[in-house]
């Protein structure tokens, strides 16, 4: 079954309601690596309800399951997460009732045998105040769906990294059980927990969630480049480029410019770039 472009572009959901509390906020922070040293007060602020801070990338899980693309002809067995973008209009509260509106904003045909690029957008509002909290923009690469007749040009272009040497590099460790902890924030795909399933799809063992790597990069930037002040972040965009295995050490290379921290993430042990074209927008 081929993608039906008109059906795909008409897909949207409105008024979906979700809620989260301080438990989910702390669990997410633990899942991306905060709180390894329980005596570190700056780390503790993200995993203890006293003066609790939120990790901005928590936004990717507070409405888990919102905005499903639906029955549009996509071969989901061949889909991978290509890019994730986040725009924040205000710091996320530590707990909230929220309302989401989602839609498909673009689909591009790379040609028969070359796949398709599909972009969805989810706006998240706080229910009580009506305030707009954030916008999530997610790009998937549908490897098995090229040749459906959609536009070839105009797909979003990734953020270009500076050509100079990085201004800073940060090593962020992950735990062997990291995926088992992170999955409790919403994504229970067995690829991240079941060794037999992972081997059946071509991996030697379960891989870390891409969005966990995304959050781990955010942790590294908050802790080493922003002095543990997450409220400075107003946007966080990445392109996923290779898998991470739980237990890997992720090295985050940073370029600091006015209003923007560009970054990429590498696993040096395998000489693999796992996140590329990263852009963290910050308040001056």
């Amino acid at each position: 079954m081929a993608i039906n472009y008109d059906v795909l572009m008409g897909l949207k959901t409105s008024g979906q309601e979700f809620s989260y509390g301080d438990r989910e906020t702390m669990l997410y922070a633990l899942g991306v690596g905060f709180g390894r040293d329980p005596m570190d007060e700056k780390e503790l602020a993200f995993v203890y309800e006293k003066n609790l801070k939120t990790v901005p990338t928590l936004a990717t899980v507070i409405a888990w399951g919102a905005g499903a693309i639906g029955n549009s002809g996509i071969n989901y067995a061949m889909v991978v997460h290509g890019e994730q973008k986040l725009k924040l209009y205000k710091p996320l509260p530590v707990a909230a009732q929220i309302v989401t509106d989602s839609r498909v904003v673009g689909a591009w045909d790379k040609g028969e045998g070359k796949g398709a690029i599909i972009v969805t957008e989810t706006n998240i509002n706080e229910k009580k105040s009506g305030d707009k909290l954030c916008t999530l923009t997610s790009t998937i690469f549908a490897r098995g769906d090229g040749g459906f007749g959609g536009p070839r040009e105009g797909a979003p272009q990734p953020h270009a990294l500076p050509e100079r040497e990085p201004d800073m590099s940060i090593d962020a460790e992950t735990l062997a059980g990291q995926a088992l902890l992170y999955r409790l924030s919403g994504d229970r795909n067995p690829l991240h927990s079941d060794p037999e399933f992972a081997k059946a799809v071509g991996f030697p063992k379960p891989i870390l969630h891409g969005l966990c790597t995304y959050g781990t990069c955010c942790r590294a930037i908050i802790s080493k480049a922003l002095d543990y002040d997450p409220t400075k972040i107003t946007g966080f965009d990445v392109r996923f480029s290779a898998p991470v295995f739980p237990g890997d050490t992720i090295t985050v290379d940073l370029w600091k410019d006015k209003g923007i921290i560009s970054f990429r993430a590498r696993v040096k042990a395998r000489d693999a770039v796992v996140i590329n074209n990263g852009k963290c927008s910050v308040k001056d």
Side-chain angles (χ1 to χ4, degrees):
M1 181 179 177
I3 288 177
N4 184 315
Y5 180 75
D6 292 334
V7 170
L8 180 65
M9 293 304 299
L11 291 176
K12 61 182 179 180
T13 60
S14 300
Q16 288 183 290
E17 296 191 13
F18 301 85
S19 64
Y20 67 97
D22 63 354
R23 178 183 182 277
E24 287 74 24
T25 297
M26 291 183 282
L27 181 61
Y28 176 83
L30 288 166
V32 299
F34 278 104
R36 299 291 171 82
D37 181 357
M39 298 303 292
D40 184 332
E41 291 185 3
K42 290 183 176 181
E43 292 273 319
L44 196 61
F46 293 87
V47 296
Y48 175 41
E49 59 269 22
K50 181 182 177 181
N51 301 319
L52 184 62
K53 297 180 178 181
T54 54
V55 184
T57 51
L58 170 71
T60 58
V61 302
I62 57 176
W64 187 257
I69 290 177
N71 185 21
S72 57
I74 294 171
N75 180 358
Y76 287 100
M78 298 288 285
V79 163
V80 295
H81 196 169
E83 297 182 9
Q84 181 65 52
K85 297 181 179 181
L86 166 64
K87 182 176 182 179
L88 291 156
Y89 304 101
K90 59 185 288 188
L92 292 180
V94 299
Q97 291 182 307
I98 54 176
V99 181
T100 70
D101 298 313
S102 304
R103 64 190 181 102
V104 175
V105 294
W108 291 269
D109 190 347
K110 296 179 70 67
E112 187 72 32
K114 296 182 180 179
I117 295 171
I118 300 163
V119 181
T120 60
E121 178 184 276
T122 296
N123 289 301
I124 301 179
N125 293 352
E126 191 171 21
K127 183 178 180 180
K128 183 176 180 180
S129 66
D131 290 348
K132 194 171 183 178
L133 292 178
C134 60
T135 297
L136 299 169
T137 304
S138 183
T139 299
I140 64 169
F141 179 42
R143 295 174 294 166
D145 292 305
F148 66 91
R152 296 291 186 95
E153 305 294 333
Q157 296 301 305
H159 172 66
L161 298 179
E163 295 183 359
R164 67 181 188 271
E165 289 296 307
D167 299 320
M168 178 189 300
S169 293
I170 306 161
D171 287 338
E173 297 179 351
T174 66
L175 300 175
Q178 195 81 40
L180 297 177
L181 178 59
Y182 179 83
R183 70 191 295 268
L184 299 180
S185 287
D187 186 350
R188 297 199 181 191
N189 185 333
L191 176 59
H192 309 295
S193 57
D194 188 327
E196 290 185 3
F197 184 94
K199 289 178 181 177
V201 296
F203 293 101
K205 59 182 179 180
I207 64 173
L208 196 63
H209 306 68
L211 285 177
C212 184
T213 302
Y214 175 80
T216 299
C217 289
C218 189
R219 166 172 66 93
I221 291 171
I222 288 170
S223 60
K224 301 300 183 183
L226 298 177
D227 193 27
Y228 288 92
D229 184 357
T231 65
K232 291 181 178 179
I233 294 178
T234 60
F236 206 78
D237 306 344
V238 304
R239 170 171 282 193
F240 301 105
S241 51
V244 172
F245 293 99
D248 281 345
T249 295
I250 300 168
T251 299
V252 184
D253 300 319
L254 306 182
W255 292 263
K256 299 177 72 175
D257 295 292
K258 185 176 177 61
I260 294 175
I261 298 174
S262 302
F263 65 96
R264 70 176 173 221
R266 300 176 288 126
V267 175
K268 291 188 286 188
R270 297 198 308 277
D271 192 27
V273 175
V274 297
I275 277 182
N276 213 347
N277 307 103
K279 178 184 177 183
C280 175
S281 301
V282 294
K283 297 177 183 177
D284 294 334

